[in-house]
Amino acid sequence: MGTSPIVISKLKADKISLFEMATIKLRQWTLIALVMVGFFLPMTIWAIGNYVYRESGRAFTDAFTHFMWEGYLNVWEFPILGIGFGWVISFGYHRYLRVYISSIKRKLTMRQSGDELSDIRAEKGQLESKNYDPRKHYKSGHMFFGLDEQNSPIYVPLEEWEATHQRYVGPTQTGKGVEIGVQLDQAIRGGQCVIFIDPKPDKHAKAIMRKACEETGRNFVELDLNPEGRGKYAPFMGGSLRDRRTRLMYVLGLHDTGDTADFYKSGERAILDKLLESWDGHLDTLRQLLRNPDIFELVKRSLNYINEWLSLSTFQLDKRKTGFSVERSLCENAVVYIRGNLDDEVINKATTVLLMEIVQECKRLDPIRKTHVFLATDEIAFLINEKIADSLATVAGFRCNMLLAYQSEGDLLNLKDKTQNAQAIASRVKTNCKISLYYMAMDYQTAKTMADESGTIQKAVTRSQKVDIGKHQQEEWDNSRDIHRVEEALITINKAKMLPARVGILYRPAKLATPCFTAWVPIDLNRWGDNHATNVTKSAIETVQNKPAKKKQPKPKNQGSEVEKRAPSKSTPVDLSAGLQQDKEEQSKEGTIAKENTKSVVIDDF
């Protein structure tokens, strides 16, 4: 019980409990008993003794005093032990038991609000990766992204998906490639023209594409921009004259940047514009034109760039061939895997040029293309420029949606090409990519963006709850707490930083941000990897070599627009030397290619 309080304060009389009142009364009675037994009882006995033994009262007093003193000395340790034992009991009860009881009572309290602010320690282990087969959740007319926390599939209607660009953000090995594989697999099986640009080779994505083509009767084409790889590419042969000029000026760095060098660039552009009229699109031809003594000194800078490109065999083409053709790939509904190289500046820029050409051709060939185009690009931060960022606002209207993947929000703000407006590019990407999938945020900026884009919710949280400090310096929760409303992000920074691998946060228009559990498309790399491609290619090349040469079709009359002039004839195959070995007529049979006649191959003879 302790020794306090021993009186009931008038100020707290209306707040004191019945148990506390009984305890105070018990302390009072105990104190009275102690006073009675310890003082009044001995004094009463002494008084009575003196009355009875009036004649020898002094002797009685001495005997009584001796009796009391001797008796105390015989039991002197009992009061000390009693007081010490009582203090130990009091200390243990108040310091530990009451604190524990106070904590239990607080946990068992039926609260008006149980909201709490985010705590990164509480976020640990809240979400865990899930293993499943994504193919079991594919649904006609919809695109599957992953499972939610209740294991329900997350779908986006196909019409909405085709009209919406996507962006996947996350560090390496967190799950971007997993979801890219799921999207590629569905798009291929859905009959769309699929192009995947991979500056950082992903063996899983390529194997998934190859397997999907084999199982659905689609034509698989691989272009490797590295010299040791398969295929060749002429970056300035495809598209309209103005599109080719745009790509050439980008490669040669002749766009105005607002400095004094713009004057000299304008003169060089004027020279190149005159050369474009007689240029066949081959880099070697352009090099010869630039070596003209009359203009050599004025275009020496551009000539050096051209020499860098021609130092790679990928861009050294036979004049009788056009190399990889974006036009034919789009018109013949091909599935294309393009490999780049982040460590090689020339190949990296060539990948950007190819991406620019694909976007340009998607718009130019829209009237004659038969299918939607799904264009996916990994590590876009190393490839993007203002032209590509600007095209996001328009290309969706030409039956083409893009998937852009990069590692963090800071990537788009720190581009290698400092002549580009990184802030504007990052803003356009975020604005036009309405479907976003974020994986684990390793930097504050990305985590903050995830929190901001998720929106806010209102929480009723405890602002304060007092504690009482007892006589043994123990703390006990008070019976009242102060609740107020706090605004917090739906996806907090702590949650963004604690996402496990293959678990992302999916953002969709007019939908709440939700955790999305992604999983690998099952693939046997031993069967569908590069070893498989090598064996198939040998037989494919033999088939191509034994195939009789096609007769040249007569050129159409000079009528109609430029797109109509370049459009393939509906009755004749398109022959643009892209390495696509099946004719247009074969592709149009019953809407698909017969599976038994399909070759999912890598073409060497571009």
Side-chain angles (χ1 to χ4, degrees):
M1 292 190 306
T3 59
S4 65
I6 201 168
V7 295
I8 300 174
S9 172
K10 293 182 179 179
L11 296 177
K12 296 183 178 180
D14 57 338
K15 298 180 180 179
I16 196 167
S17 66
L18 181 62
F19 177 77
E20 291 175 330
M21 184 178 293
T23 305
I24 291 173
K25 288 296 183 182
L26 189 57
R27 290 192 190 105
Q28 293 174 350
W29 295 337
T30 303
L31 180 60
I32 293 172
L34 287 174
V35 172
M36 292 295 294
V37 174
F39 180 75
F40 288 106
L41 182 59
M43 291 303 294
T44 301
I45 294 174
W46 175 77
I48 294 174
N50 272 298
Y51 177 78
V52 174
Y53 301 104
R54 289 186 297 272
E55 298 177 354
S56 55
R58 185 176 181 82
F60 174 77
T61 299
D62 292 339
F64 180 78
T65 302
H66 179 74
F67 169 79
M68 294 295 292
W69 182 247
E70 288 294 329
Y72 173 75
L73 290 178
N74 290 332
V75 295
W76 64 270
E77 68 276 11
F78 286 2
I80 296 176
L81 291 175
I83 292 172
F85 187 58
W87 185 88
V88 170
I89 293 175
S90 176
F91 181 85
Y93 171 72
H94 288 90
R95 184 90 177 181
Y96 299 104
L97 185 59
R98 286 196 59 165
V99 172
Y100 178 74
I101 293 174
S102 175
S103 177
I104 293 296
K105 287 170 63 179
R106 185 169 183 262
K107 291 180 180 179
L108 296 178
T109 300
M110 293 296 293
R111 302 186 180 187
Q112 294 296 328
S113 171
D115 293 341
E116 293 183 355
L117 294 177
S118 173
D119 189 326
I120 196 168
R121 295 168 297 181
E123 294 291 350
K124 182 180 180 181
Q126 290 295 314
L127 298 176
E128 296 182 357
S129 304
K130 297 180 180 181
N131 297 316
Y132 62 92
D133 188 347
R135 299 172 301 179
K136 295 181 179 179
H137 300 282
Y138 291 174
K139 183 178 178 181
S140 178
H142 294 77
M143 293 298 286
F144 171 74
F145 277 80
L147 300 180
D148 61 16
E149 292 182 274
Q150 288 73 41
N151 290 325
S152 298
I154 301 174
Y155 294 109
V156 172
L158 184 59
E159 291 183 1
E160 178 184 337
W161 180 87
E162 290 179 344
T164 308
H165 300 305
Q166 307 172 52
R167 64 190 182 106
Y168 299 166
V169 185
T172 303
Q173 302 299 321
T174 55
K176 297 195 305 296
V178 176
E179 183 62 22
I180 290 174
V182 173
Q183 297 293 305
L184 292 173
D185 191 41
Q186 293 179 89
I188 293 171
R189 297 177 187 277
Q192 300 182 4
C193 178
V194 177
I195 302 176
F196 179 42
I197 299 177
D198 190 10
K200 185 176 61 178
D202 186 341
K203 57 185 178 181
H204 289 89
K206 184 165 65 172
I208 290 170
M209 295 173 70
R210 181 180 289 121
K211 180 183 178 183
C213 288
E214 190 78 14
E215 293 180 350
T216 58
R218 302 289 302 280
N219 215 357
F220 177 79
V221 178
E222 178 183 357
L223 170 63
D224 192 338
L225 295 176
N226 295 273
E228 67 277 8
R230 303 180 180 94
K232 294 184 181 296
Y233 172 55
F236 309 110
M237 291 190 66
S240 66
L241 180 62
R242 295 302 297 177
D243 288 342
R244 292 160 57 194
R245 180 187 183 277
T246 299
R247 300 197 298 272
L248 180 62
M249 296 306 168
Y250 169 74
V251 168
L252 301 180
L254 293 179
H255 291 294
D256 289 341
T257 56
D259 55 24
T260 55
D262 290 347
F263 173 77
Y264 301 98
K265 292 179 182 178
S266 63
E268 199 165 346
R269 287 199 302 268
I271 295 174
L272 288 169
D273 283 337
K274 290 183 179 180
L275 296 178
L276 286 176
E277 298 174 359
S278 58
W279 181 36
D280 61 1
H282 284 279
L283 282 173
D284 188 57
T285 304
L286 181 60
R287 178 167 63 179
Q288 295 176 14
L289 294 172
L290 295 178
R291 285 175 175 174
N292 187 326
D294 296 334
I295 61 172
F296 178 75
E297 292 299 328
L298 298 176
V299 296
K300 186 183 295 184
R301 175 178 172 277
S302 296
L303 185 60
N304 290 335
Y305 280 117
I306 299 301
N307 288 331
E308 283 186 2
W309 281 60
L310 287 174
S311 65
L312 301 178
S313 60
T314 305
F315 312 109
Q316 299 173 8
L317 274 75
D318 188 323
K319 292 294 181 66
R320 296 170 297 177
K321 298 181 179 180
T322 60
F324 172 74
S325 171
V326 174
E327 179 176 358
R328 182 174 180 182
S329 298
L330 296 178
C331 291
E332 296 194 4
N333 194 27
V335 175
V336 184
Y337 174 84
I338 300 170
R339 177 184 175 184
N341 189 339
L342 295 178
D343 298 325
D344 191 302
E345 292 295 335
V346 176
I347 295 177
N348 204 47
K349 182 160 285 192
T351 309
T352 301
V353 171
L354 179 53
L355 179 57
M356 292 174 64
E357 182 180 356
I358 294 171
V359 173
Q360 292 169 344
E361 292 292 85
C362 281
K363 293 189 284 187
R364 186 180 69 86
L365 299 173
D366 179 59
I368 60 176
R369 284 191 290 111
K370 300 299 183 183
T371 58
H372 182 88
V373 177
F374 177 48
L375 174 57
T377 307
D378 197 9
E379 302 297 345
I380 189 63
F382 295 90
L383 307 176
I384 198 166
N385 57 26
E386 292 185 61
K387 295 294 183 182
I388 297 173
D390 291 342
S391 67
L392 288 170
T394 57
V395 74
F398 292 88
R399 295 185 298 149
C400 173
N401 68 318
M402 299 175 64
L403 187 161
L404 308 179
Y406 50 99
Q407 296 188 16
S408 70
E409 290 296 340
D411 284 359
L412 296 184
L413 297 174
N414 296 280
L415 303 178
K416 282 188 175 182
D417 187 353
K418 300 306 178 183
T419 64
Q420 302 289 325
N421 188 340
Q423 188 70 41
I425 290 174
S427 177
R428 289 167 192 163
V429 170
K430 290 177 64 176
T431 300
N432 292 295
C433 294
K434 295 176 181 157
I435 295 179
S436 301
L437 181 61
Y438 283 88
Y439 289 90
M440 180 193 301
M442 297 303 296
D443 62 295
Y444 176 79
Q445 184 178 9
T446 303
K448 183 68 165 57
T449 301
M450 294 174 65
D452 292 343
E453 292 189 0
S454 69
T456 59
I457 57 176
Q458 296 292 323
K459 286 186 173 182
V461 301
T462 301
R463 180 168 61 183
S464 64
Q465 184 173 0
K466 297 179 181 179
V467 293
D468 294 328
I469 300 179
K471 60 183 178 180
H472 295 293
Q473 301 303 307
Q474 82 279 3
E475 291 185 349
E476 298 177 38
W477 290 105
D478 189 41
N479 289 330
S480 62
R481 62 190 182 113
D482 185 11
I483 299 177
H484 70 142
R485 302 194 73 81
V486 175
E487 188 177 82
E488 187 177 48
L490 176 62
I491 303 299
T492 64
I493 292 177
N494 290 331
K495 181 180 286 293
K497 286 180 171 289
M498 294 302 292
L499 292 174
R502 294 190 287 111
V503 179
I505 304 297
L506 182 63
Y507 299 78
R508 294 167 290 168
K511 300 284 186 181
L512 293 178
T514 181
C516 180
F517 298 81
T518 57
W520 288 104
V521 175
I523 191 71
D524 184 358
L525 292 178
N526 292 327
R527 179 180 179 185
W528 300 105
D530 289 332
N531 293 334
H532 167 82
T534 302
N535 296 331
V536 176
T537 300
K538 292 180 180 179
S539 60
I541 293 176
E542 292 175 359
T543 303
V544 172
Q545 291 174 345
N546 295 330
K547 188 174 181 179
K550 299 177 183 178
K551 295 181 180 180
K552 292 185 178 180
Q553 300 295 331
K555 295 183 179 180
K557 294 181 180 180
N558 187 17
Q559 297 177 351
S561 63
E562 183 177 355
V563 171
E564 292 172 343
K565 295 174 188 177
R566 300 176 63 88
S569 171
K570 295 183 179 180
S571 60
T572 58
V574 179
D575 187 9
L576 298 175
S577 302
L580 302 174
Q581 299 303 322
Q582 287 195 305
D583 295 336
K584 186 78 173 180
E585 296 174 344
E586 295 174 352
Q587 290 187 344
S588 62
K589 289 180 181 178
E590 298 180 358
T592 58
I593 306 173
K595 182 175 181 180
E596 58 271 15
N597 297 327
T598 300
K599 293 185 279 294
S600 177
V601 299
V602 178
I603 305 298
D604 284 317
D605 188 24
F606 279 137

